[in-house]
Short mmCIF file of all heavy atoms in Angstrom, two decimals:
data_model
loop_
_atom_site.label_atom_id
_atom_site.label_comp_id
_atom_site.label_asym_id
_atom_site.label_seq_id
_atom_site.Cartn_x
_atom_site.Cartn_y
_atom_site.Cartn_z
N HIS A 1 0.76 -1.17 0.00
CA HIS A 1 0.06 -0.01 -0.04
C HIS A 1 0.90 1.19 -0.01
O HIS A 1 0.48 2.37 -0.57
CB HIS A 1 -1.00 0.03 1.22
CG HIS A 1 -2.17 -0.78 1.11
ND1 HIS A 1 -3.25 -0.10 0.44
CD2 HIS A 1 -2.55 -1.94 1.51
CE1 HIS A 1 -4.27 -1.04 0.46
NE2 HIS A 1 -3.89 -2.20 0.93
N ALA A 2 2.02 1.19 0.65
CA ALA A 2 2.87 2.42 0.85
C ALA A 2 3.69 2.68 -0.49
O ALA A 2 4.26 3.78 -0.51
CB ALA A 2 3.76 2.21 2.00
N HIS A 3 3.85 1.79 -1.33
CA HIS A 3 4.79 1.95 -2.45
C HIS A 3 4.57 3.41 -3.15
O HIS A 3 5.57 4.04 -3.61
CB HIS A 3 4.76 0.82 -3.52
CG HIS A 3 5.40 -0.36 -3.02
ND1 HIS A 3 6.42 -0.44 -2.13
CD2 HIS A 3 5.12 -1.70 -3.50
CE1 HIS A 3 6.75 -1.72 -1.94
NE2 HIS A 3 6.02 -2.49 -2.79
N PRO A 4 3.32 3.82 -3.50
CA PRO A 4 3.29 5.08 -4.19
C PRO A 4 3.87 6.35 -3.47
O PRO A 4 4.21 7.21 -4.07
CB PRO A 4 1.75 5.38 -4.45
CG PRO A 4 1.26 3.87 -4.24
CD PRO A 4 2.01 3.14 -3.33
N ARG A 5 3.96 6.31 -2.18
CA ARG A 5 4.57 7.33 -1.29
C ARG A 5 6.03 7.40 -1.46
O ARG A 5 6.67 8.45 -1.26
CB ARG A 5 4.17 7.11 0.15
CG ARG A 5 2.63 7.44 0.44
CD ARG A 5 2.41 7.60 1.84
NE ARG A 5 2.77 6.43 2.57
CZ ARG A 5 1.86 5.41 2.97
NH1 ARG A 5 0.73 5.60 2.47
NH2 ARG A 5 2.16 4.50 3.70
N GLU A 6 6.64 6.18 -2.01
CA GLU A 6 8.06 6.09 -1.92
C GLU A 6 8.56 5.99 -3.33
O GLU A 6 9.88 6.30 -3.52
CB GLU A 6 8.50 4.81 -1.14
CG GLU A 6 8.02 4.75 0.32
CD GLU A 6 8.62 5.97 1.18
OE1 GLU A 6 9.81 6.26 0.82
OE2 GLU A 6 7.94 6.37 1.98
N ILE A 7 7.84 5.60 -4.35
CA ILE A 7 8.36 5.28 -5.59
C ILE A 7 7.66 6.21 -6.57
O ILE A 7 6.55 5.97 -6.97
CB ILE A 7 8.01 3.69 -5.98
CG1 ILE A 7 8.70 2.93 -4.90
CG2 ILE A 7 8.67 3.42 -7.29
CD1 ILE A 7 8.37 1.28 -5.06
N PRO A 8 8.41 7.15 -7.04
CA PRO A 8 7.76 8.28 -7.93
C PRO A 8 7.36 7.65 -9.38
O PRO A 8 6.54 8.36 -10.00
CB PRO A 8 8.84 9.37 -8.05
CG PRO A 8 10.13 8.64 -7.74
CD PRO A 8 9.78 7.52 -6.72
N GLU A 9 7.86 6.62 -9.76
CA GLU A 9 7.48 6.07 -11.23
C GLU A 9 6.02 5.55 -11.26
O GLU A 9 5.49 5.48 -12.29
CB GLU A 9 8.41 4.92 -11.57
CG GLU A 9 9.75 5.46 -12.00
CD GLU A 9 10.72 5.79 -10.73
OE1 GLU A 9 10.33 5.59 -9.68
OE2 GLU A 9 11.78 6.41 -10.98
N ILE A 10 5.45 5.41 -10.12
CA ILE A 10 4.08 4.93 -10.12
C ILE A 10 2.98 5.88 -10.55
O ILE A 10 2.98 6.99 -9.86
CB ILE A 10 3.63 4.31 -8.68
CG1 ILE A 10 4.52 3.08 -8.28
CG2 ILE A 10 2.12 3.91 -8.69
CD1 ILE A 10 4.38 2.55 -6.99
N VAL A 11 2.38 5.81 -11.61
CA VAL A 11 1.33 6.81 -12.04
C VAL A 11 -0.05 6.55 -11.41
O VAL A 11 -0.59 7.47 -10.89
CB VAL A 11 1.09 6.75 -13.61
CG1 VAL A 11 0.10 7.62 -14.12
CG2 VAL A 11 2.47 7.11 -14.29
N ARG A 12 -0.39 5.32 -11.29
CA ARG A 12 -1.67 4.88 -10.61
C ARG A 12 -1.36 3.48 -9.81
O ARG A 12 -0.63 2.75 -10.44
CB ARG A 12 -2.91 4.75 -11.65
CG ARG A 12 -3.29 5.95 -12.14
CD ARG A 12 -4.71 5.92 -12.67
NE ARG A 12 -5.14 7.19 -13.15
CZ ARG A 12 -5.57 7.45 -14.40
NH1 ARG A 12 -5.75 6.33 -15.17
NH2 ARG A 12 -6.00 8.67 -14.73
N TRP A 13 -2.09 3.30 -8.90
CA TRP A 13 -1.88 2.25 -7.98
C TRP A 13 -3.12 1.68 -7.37
O TRP A 13 -3.88 2.46 -6.80
CB TRP A 13 -0.88 2.60 -6.95
CG TRP A 13 -0.25 1.52 -6.09
CD1 TRP A 13 -0.33 1.24 -4.75
CD2 TRP A 13 0.75 0.67 -6.67
NE1 TRP A 13 0.43 0.25 -4.43
CE2 TRP A 13 1.16 -0.17 -5.57
CE3 TRP A 13 1.35 0.40 -7.84
CZ2 TRP A 13 2.11 -1.26 -5.70
CZ3 TRP A 13 2.33 -0.65 -7.87
CH2 TRP A 13 2.62 -1.55 -6.89
N ALA A 14 -3.52 0.40 -7.51
CA ALA A 14 -4.77 -0.17 -6.98
C ALA A 14 -4.26 -1.46 -6.36
O ALA A 14 -3.53 -2.37 -7.20
CB ALA A 14 -5.84 -0.37 -7.91
N VAL A 15 -4.57 -1.71 -5.12
CA VAL A 15 -4.15 -2.99 -4.44
C VAL A 15 -5.37 -3.39 -3.65
O VAL A 15 -6.21 -2.54 -3.18
CB VAL A 15 -2.89 -2.88 -3.54
CG1 VAL A 15 -1.74 -2.43 -4.40
CG2 VAL A 15 -3.18 -1.90 -2.46
N GLY A 16 -5.41 -4.68 -3.39
CA GLY A 16 -6.47 -5.19 -2.59
C GLY A 16 -6.47 -6.76 -2.30
O GLY A 16 -6.01 -7.41 -3.13
N ARG A 17 -7.26 -6.97 -1.26
CA ARG A 17 -7.49 -8.45 -0.95
C ARG A 17 -8.47 -9.10 -1.80
O ARG A 17 -9.51 -8.35 -2.10
CB ARG A 17 -7.89 -8.60 0.62
CG ARG A 17 -6.87 -8.18 1.52
CD ARG A 17 -7.33 -8.29 2.93
NE ARG A 17 -6.36 -7.87 3.93
CZ ARG A 17 -6.48 -8.02 5.20
NH1 ARG A 17 -7.54 -8.64 5.69
NH2 ARG A 17 -5.56 -7.56 6.11
N ASN A 18 -8.43 -10.35 -2.07
CA ASN A 18 -9.43 -10.89 -2.82
C ASN A 18 -10.74 -10.96 -1.94
O ASN A 18 -10.63 -11.15 -0.75
CB ASN A 18 -9.03 -12.46 -3.06
CG ASN A 18 -10.11 -13.32 -3.71
OD1 ASN A 18 -10.73 -12.82 -4.56
ND2 ASN A 18 -10.29 -14.42 -3.12
N SER A 19 -11.91 -10.88 -2.64
CA SER A 19 -13.20 -10.85 -1.95
C SER A 19 -14.08 -12.05 -2.36
O SER A 19 -15.25 -12.02 -2.00
CB SER A 19 -13.97 -9.60 -2.26
OG SER A 19 -14.17 -9.34 -3.51
N THR A 20 -13.51 -12.98 -3.11
CA THR A 20 -14.28 -14.16 -3.48
C THR A 20 -13.72 -15.37 -2.87
O THR A 20 -12.68 -15.44 -2.31
CB THR A 20 -14.28 -14.42 -5.03
OG1 THR A 20 -12.94 -14.81 -5.37
CG2 THR A 20 -14.61 -13.23 -5.79
N ASP A 21 -14.63 -16.43 -2.85
CA ASP A 21 -14.08 -17.66 -2.22
C ASP A 21 -13.96 -18.76 -3.26
O ASP A 21 -14.02 -20.02 -3.03
CB ASP A 21 -15.10 -18.16 -1.13
CG ASP A 21 -16.48 -18.33 -1.65
OD1 ASP A 21 -16.76 -18.10 -2.86
OD2 ASP A 21 -17.39 -18.72 -0.87
N ARG A 22 -13.78 -18.42 -4.52
CA ARG A 22 -13.52 -19.41 -5.64
C ARG A 22 -12.25 -20.13 -5.40
O ARG A 22 -11.19 -19.55 -5.00
CB ARG A 22 -13.69 -18.61 -6.98
CG ARG A 22 -15.10 -18.32 -7.32
CD ARG A 22 -15.04 -17.53 -8.55
NE ARG A 22 -14.64 -16.18 -8.38
CZ ARG A 22 -14.56 -15.24 -9.35
NH1 ARG A 22 -14.98 -15.51 -10.59
NH2 ARG A 22 -14.14 -13.94 -9.03
N GLN A 23 -12.24 -21.37 -5.80
CA GLN A 23 -11.02 -22.26 -5.56
C GLN A 23 -9.77 -21.69 -6.41
O GLN A 23 -8.77 -21.71 -5.78
CB GLN A 23 -11.40 -23.61 -6.04
CG GLN A 23 -10.38 -24.65 -5.78
CD GLN A 23 -10.21 -24.97 -4.27
OE1 GLN A 23 -11.08 -24.82 -3.53
NE2 GLN A 23 -8.95 -25.35 -3.96
N ASN A 24 -10.04 -21.22 -7.45
CA ASN A 24 -8.86 -20.74 -8.22
C ASN A 24 -8.46 -19.17 -8.03
O ASN A 24 -7.65 -18.59 -8.67
CB ASN A 24 -9.12 -20.85 -9.84
CG ASN A 24 -10.28 -20.09 -10.28
OD1 ASN A 24 -11.02 -19.57 -9.42
ND2 ASN A 24 -10.31 -20.08 -11.55
N ALA A 25 -9.00 -18.67 -6.97
CA ALA A 25 -8.73 -17.14 -6.73
C ALA A 25 -7.41 -16.99 -6.02
O ALA A 25 -6.97 -17.86 -5.24
CB ALA A 25 -9.82 -16.53 -5.74
N TYR A 26 -6.74 -15.89 -6.39
CA TYR A 26 -5.66 -15.50 -5.61
C TYR A 26 -6.03 -14.62 -4.37
O TYR A 26 -7.14 -14.26 -4.22
CB TYR A 26 -4.64 -14.69 -6.53
CG TYR A 26 -3.99 -15.58 -7.71
CD1 TYR A 26 -4.63 -16.14 -8.56
CD2 TYR A 26 -2.56 -15.82 -7.30
CE1 TYR A 26 -3.89 -16.97 -9.43
CE2 TYR A 26 -1.89 -16.72 -8.23
CZ TYR A 26 -2.59 -17.23 -9.30
OH TYR A 26 -1.91 -18.09 -10.12
N ASP A 27 -4.97 -14.45 -3.46
CA ASP A 27 -5.27 -13.67 -2.12
C ASP A 27 -5.21 -12.24 -2.21
O ASP A 27 -5.85 -11.52 -1.48
CB ASP A 27 -4.38 -14.32 -1.17
CG ASP A 27 -4.71 -15.75 -0.84
OD1 ASP A 27 -5.76 -16.04 -0.44
OD2 ASP A 27 -3.87 -16.63 -1.16
N PHE A 28 -4.40 -11.69 -3.04
CA PHE A 28 -4.03 -10.27 -3.10
C PHE A 28 -3.63 -9.82 -4.59
O PHE A 28 -3.04 -10.57 -5.28
CB PHE A 28 -2.90 -10.01 -2.12
CG PHE A 28 -2.66 -8.56 -1.89
CD1 PHE A 28 -3.61 -7.83 -1.07
CD2 PHE A 28 -1.59 -7.93 -2.47
CE1 PHE A 28 -3.33 -6.40 -0.77
CE2 PHE A 28 -1.30 -6.52 -2.21
CZ PHE A 28 -2.19 -5.86 -1.32
N ALA A 29 -4.07 -8.60 -4.95
CA ALA A 29 -3.76 -8.18 -6.39
C ALA A 29 -3.17 -6.77 -6.10
O ALA A 29 -3.48 -5.97 -5.34
CB ALA A 29 -5.15 -8.22 -7.07
N VAL A 30 -2.27 -6.54 -7.25
CA VAL A 30 -1.61 -5.23 -7.38
C VAL A 30 -1.88 -4.99 -8.92
O VAL A 30 -1.60 -5.70 -9.76
CB VAL A 30 -0.16 -5.29 -7.10
CG1 VAL A 30 0.54 -3.95 -7.54
CG2 VAL A 30 0.11 -5.65 -5.56
N VAL A 31 -2.32 -3.71 -9.08
CA VAL A 31 -2.47 -3.26 -10.51
C VAL A 31 -1.81 -1.83 -10.56
O VAL A 31 -2.33 -0.89 -9.81
CB VAL A 31 -3.92 -3.00 -10.95
CG1 VAL A 31 -3.83 -2.57 -12.36
CG2 VAL A 31 -4.58 -4.46 -10.85
N GLY A 32 -0.70 -1.71 -11.16
CA GLY A 32 0.00 -0.37 -11.20
C GLY A 32 0.08 0.05 -12.75
O GLY A 32 0.08 -0.66 -13.70
N LEU A 33 0.19 1.34 -12.93
CA LEU A 33 0.31 2.01 -14.13
C LEU A 33 1.56 2.84 -14.16
O LEU A 33 1.77 3.51 -13.17
CB LEU A 33 -0.80 3.01 -14.47
CG LEU A 33 -1.02 3.52 -15.74
CD1 LEU A 33 -1.21 2.52 -16.92
CD2 LEU A 33 -2.14 4.49 -15.81
N PHE A 34 2.41 2.57 -15.23
CA PHE A 34 3.66 3.21 -15.45
C PHE A 34 3.73 3.97 -16.80
O PHE A 34 3.18 3.39 -17.79
CB PHE A 34 4.71 2.24 -15.32
CG PHE A 34 4.84 1.68 -13.82
CD1 PHE A 34 3.94 0.54 -13.61
CD2 PHE A 34 5.65 2.20 -12.91
CE1 PHE A 34 3.95 -0.01 -12.34
CE2 PHE A 34 5.62 1.64 -11.63
CZ PHE A 34 4.81 0.49 -11.32
N GLU A 35 4.50 4.95 -16.93
CA GLU A 35 4.63 5.62 -18.24
C GLU A 35 5.20 4.73 -19.34
O GLU A 35 4.71 4.87 -20.45
CB GLU A 35 5.56 6.92 -18.01
CG GLU A 35 5.01 8.03 -17.26
CD GLU A 35 3.84 8.64 -17.93
OE1 GLU A 35 3.88 8.61 -19.31
OE2 GLU A 35 3.00 9.26 -17.36
N ASP A 36 6.14 3.87 -19.01
CA ASP A 36 6.80 3.05 -19.98
C ASP A 36 7.66 1.99 -19.39
O ASP A 36 7.66 1.91 -18.05
CB ASP A 36 7.73 3.96 -20.90
CG ASP A 36 8.74 4.78 -20.20
OD1 ASP A 36 9.20 4.41 -19.17
OD2 ASP A 36 8.99 5.76 -20.70
N ARG A 37 8.27 1.17 -20.09
CA ARG A 37 9.06 0.07 -19.57
C ARG A 37 10.24 0.56 -18.75
O ARG A 37 10.64 -0.10 -17.79
CB ARG A 37 9.54 -0.87 -20.76
CG ARG A 37 8.47 -1.63 -21.33
CD ARG A 37 8.91 -2.79 -22.10
NE ARG A 37 7.72 -3.47 -22.61
CZ ARG A 37 6.86 -4.20 -22.09
NH1 ARG A 37 7.12 -4.62 -20.82
NH2 ARG A 37 5.84 -4.82 -22.67
N ASP A 38 10.87 1.67 -19.17
CA ASP A 38 12.04 2.19 -18.33
C ASP A 38 11.44 2.50 -17.00
O ASP A 38 12.11 2.28 -15.98
CB ASP A 38 12.60 3.45 -19.03
CG ASP A 38 13.34 3.01 -20.17
OD1 ASP A 38 13.75 1.88 -20.35
OD2 ASP A 38 13.62 3.96 -21.02
N ALA A 39 10.34 3.23 -16.89
CA ALA A 39 9.72 3.46 -15.48
C ALA A 39 9.42 2.32 -14.70
O ALA A 39 9.67 2.22 -13.50
CB ALA A 39 8.47 4.45 -15.66
N LEU A 40 8.83 1.21 -15.25
CA LEU A 40 8.61 0.04 -14.73
C LEU A 40 9.82 -0.57 -14.16
O LEU A 40 9.99 -1.10 -13.02
CB LEU A 40 7.89 -1.01 -15.56
CG LEU A 40 7.53 -2.39 -14.97
CD1 LEU A 40 6.69 -2.28 -13.77
CD2 LEU A 40 6.96 -3.29 -16.00
N GLN A 41 10.94 -0.52 -14.88
CA GLN A 41 12.23 -1.16 -14.58
C GLN A 41 12.76 -0.41 -13.37
O GLN A 41 13.30 -1.06 -12.43
CB GLN A 41 13.18 -1.15 -15.66
CG GLN A 41 14.57 -1.94 -15.42
CD GLN A 41 14.27 -3.31 -15.12
OE1 GLN A 41 13.50 -3.99 -15.65
NE2 GLN A 41 14.86 -3.80 -14.07
N ARG A 42 12.67 0.88 -13.25
CA ARG A 42 13.06 1.69 -12.18
C ARG A 42 12.29 1.30 -10.95
O ARG A 42 12.88 1.17 -9.85
CB ARG A 42 13.07 3.26 -12.46
CG ARG A 42 14.07 3.77 -13.33
CD ARG A 42 14.09 5.15 -13.41
NE ARG A 42 12.92 5.77 -13.85
CZ ARG A 42 12.52 6.00 -15.02
NH1 ARG A 42 13.18 5.63 -16.15
NH2 ARG A 42 11.31 6.61 -15.31
N TYR A 43 10.96 1.18 -11.07
CA TYR A 43 10.26 0.68 -10.03
C TYR A 43 10.71 -0.73 -9.50
O TYR A 43 10.86 -0.92 -8.21
CB TYR A 43 8.69 0.69 -10.44
CG TYR A 43 7.81 -0.34 -9.73
CD1 TYR A 43 7.39 0.09 -8.39
CD2 TYR A 43 7.57 -1.64 -10.12
CE1 TYR A 43 6.49 -0.87 -7.70
CE2 TYR A 43 6.66 -2.44 -9.53
CZ TYR A 43 6.28 -2.05 -8.30
OH TYR A 43 5.35 -2.96 -7.44
N LEU A 44 10.87 -1.64 -10.46
CA LEU A 44 11.18 -2.97 -9.96
C LEU A 44 12.57 -3.07 -9.25
O LEU A 44 12.66 -3.89 -8.35
CB LEU A 44 11.36 -3.84 -11.29
CG LEU A 44 9.90 -4.12 -12.02
CD1 LEU A 44 10.25 -4.84 -13.30
CD2 LEU A 44 9.13 -4.86 -11.06
N THR A 45 13.49 -2.12 -9.50
CA THR A 45 14.69 -2.12 -8.76
C THR A 45 14.75 -1.20 -7.62
O THR A 45 15.74 -1.17 -6.94
CB THR A 45 15.85 -1.84 -9.83
OG1 THR A 45 15.61 -0.52 -10.50
CG2 THR A 45 15.97 -3.02 -10.84
N HIS A 46 13.69 -0.44 -7.42
CA HIS A 46 13.75 0.56 -6.37
C HIS A 46 13.76 -0.11 -4.98
O HIS A 46 13.14 -1.25 -4.87
CB HIS A 46 12.40 1.32 -6.36
CG HIS A 46 12.33 2.55 -5.49
ND1 HIS A 46 12.17 2.44 -4.21
CD2 HIS A 46 12.51 3.80 -5.77
CE1 HIS A 46 12.12 3.67 -3.58
NE2 HIS A 46 12.39 4.56 -4.62
N PRO A 47 14.51 0.41 -4.03
CA PRO A 47 14.73 -0.36 -2.78
C PRO A 47 13.46 -0.60 -1.96
O PRO A 47 13.23 -1.68 -1.36
CB PRO A 47 15.65 0.67 -1.98
CG PRO A 47 16.33 1.40 -3.05
CD PRO A 47 15.48 1.50 -4.15
#
């Protein structure tokens, strides 16, 4: 949840816990928006 406060490359950020009980569901999701692949790479390597 705190990543957008620390990582300037994040343009938009949505995160949340799964709200379904389906067998194939995952537990947590992150959806981020970045300007381009270079920005994503800087995010991925950010401390």
